[in-house]
Amino acid sequence: MTEQRDYYQVPDLRGHFGIHGGRFASETLMNALEELSELYGRMKNDPDFQAEFDRDLAHYVGRPSPLYFAERLSKNWGGAEVWLKREDLNHTGAHKINNTIGQALLAKHVGKRRVIAETGAGQHGVASATVAARLGLDCVVYMGADDVERQKLNVYRMKLLGAEVVPVTSGTRTLKDAMNEAMRDWVTNVDDTYYIIGTVAGPHPYPMLVRDFQAVIGRETRRQMQAQAGALPDALVACVGGGSNAIGLFHEFLNDPTVAIYGVEAGGLGLETGQHAAPLSAGKPGILHGNRTYLMADDNGQILGTHSVSAGLDYPGVGPEHSWLKDEGRAQYVSVTDDEAMAAFRELTRTEGIMPALETAHALAYAKKLAPEMGQGKRLVVNLSGRGDKDVHTVARMDGMDI
Amino acid sequence: MSRLQNTLAELKAAGRKALIPYITAGDPDLDTTLQLMHDLVAAGADIIELGVPFSDPMADGPTIQLAYERALLHNVGLRDVLALVERFRSHDNKTPVVLMGYMNPIEYMGYETFVSSSVQAGVDGVLVVDLPPEECETLTAMLHEQNLDTIFLLTPTTSDQRAAEICRHSSGYVYYVSIKGVTGANTLDVTDVKRHVDRLRRATDLPIAVGFGIKTADDAAAVSRVADGVIVGSALVNIIARSGQGDTAVEISSQVSALVSDMRKGMDAA
Ligand SMILES: Cc1ncc(COP(=O)(O)O)c(C=O)c1O
């Protein structure tokens, strides 16, 4: 008999997931990070805090999100049953709000009047601006100048919600640069500002606490699958940018050895072209944004520019827990190209009447390959992390239209 | 005793304060940096902090971000910086050089190669902005074994308890960051600096150098009254940035020298 591995012993007290994770931050932030660890350590076990979080998820976000059996899609793909975890139906249209609700409660508890956030696709920015509006907090969102351009709709949503959106023109003008700028803001305004990181990256305790807030996705999925199909899923598929929607689905099932786990990275124009955002598939470990993790960098250790059709996956790093799950062999990380993702976007829209975000479309494109391999009688769950409204402009432009 | 410790001990014996300019290696190119290093020494610098370009300088303001970008235009990396120090050493065997930068270039080079190449090149100390004491054990042990010094940052938000822990890993000097913020901000409050430096004295016997926000000879003089060393970075990098607006290497060199020598005079008279 092989011994059952326990995947719930990470991170350790210093935020390490094996060799990954940790807290590689500048000294000015260390105190704030320690305070946040201490605060979260208390809140995690505080029934009042957890009840407040659950209440907000139910009545403000609209949870539980449905688990939907995509019958026509399953038939088209000819193999495993495809089930969609409908995070796109959450308030603001993506999984991102689960985390911002949790972190906003933390900010409220410590009485911070100002929140900042980084955003790529704008979904985390919108989710942050939303909770800030609800709590009456000032909100500043950093966004790469190129992303401001390709996610115009979300930029305007944030402004309507009362947030200030700061376009970041340094570096590659995308998500990683937005994160640098948010860190700089935090270093400068650490006394009155709470930094809401939008994914399972950053220095400890962020990868852990964002994971915990997102883990509701997997907990619901287990319950719903049991109720609707009387079984566990056989496979889970989610797209991986920083990795928050993926870990949110995966975490609940890590100790279930019959559940196969697949994270899908952005293959851009193809891994062989170098024009992609797939550090787990094609990178090596290094240190960026406060943690050790797989990165895309050159021989000098300079972080490389990434390419993906989807702004939310356009990031050269990844959450450290994914790096650890890869090293442990518990999850497999694969990639699909821009073109495959675009085709999946169109296919889901036409087949099920559900328009996914371009990030999410990456998970679908891989599920399309996996379903026939798994075969009839198996069940796979795709995390439908967000809806595609924000991407309609991008798709229209590809179709040669200006709307 | 290391070259760095020796320099600091001599300064202390002479009752003088250390003047520690920072410039970015490869800004605007490596030959200019080499010339500027010698200029800094001639103008009165005691120790040189040399920035290692990194694509994602999370703790730096626009001035030093742009310096990194100018250096990265021709791909200046850690290997080039080490080669630069080696060239500097062939004409100056006395002035300590401290590398200042971020962790990833060292991770990608590998600790062993980094440490042995640093020794080979004549580097004296290493300051890694995103390497707090919690994560530093392996690298600092390897550096100390080769008699290289490890410099850490202390900030206004550093608690007494942390300060003690940081100083335990420090050698050469400690670097007190005078403000909450990124490099290049300009709100120096010398009274506040004094209060913190006095507090840190209880945590360490090492010399305490102060940086961030020191722009003029008067700033340098004022800080030298309350600390053991004065670090000036963005003010020099701002001069070097004029290379982009058509200033020649000679003009830049003379302006950098003028500012450093004014600071030297101000500090010596303080
Ligand atoms: C809908 C959607 N899915 C996925 C992502 C990628 O982030 P993560 O990997 O943290 O889930 C984003 C990020 O913007 C997103 O908006």
Side-chain angles (χ1 to χ4, degrees), chain A residues 87-111:
Chain A
E87 293 298 301
D88 60 316
L89 295 178
N90 292 341
H91 180 43
T92 71
H95 69 291
K96 296 286 182 188
I97 190 95
N98 303 327
N99 167 46
T100 55
I101 291 279
Q103 292 202 53
L105 288 179
L106 292 176
K108 196 174 87 171
H109 263 271
V110 286

Side-chain angles (χ1 to χ4, degrees), chain B residues 185-203:
Chain B
N186 52 5
T187 42
L188 184 67
D189 175 348
V190 179
T191 317
D192 186 61
V193 169
K194 177 172 173 9
R195 196 166 55 78
H196 280 284
V197 169
D198 290 346
R199 173 172 75 94
L200 295 172
R201 296 267 185 227
R202 292 198 293 274

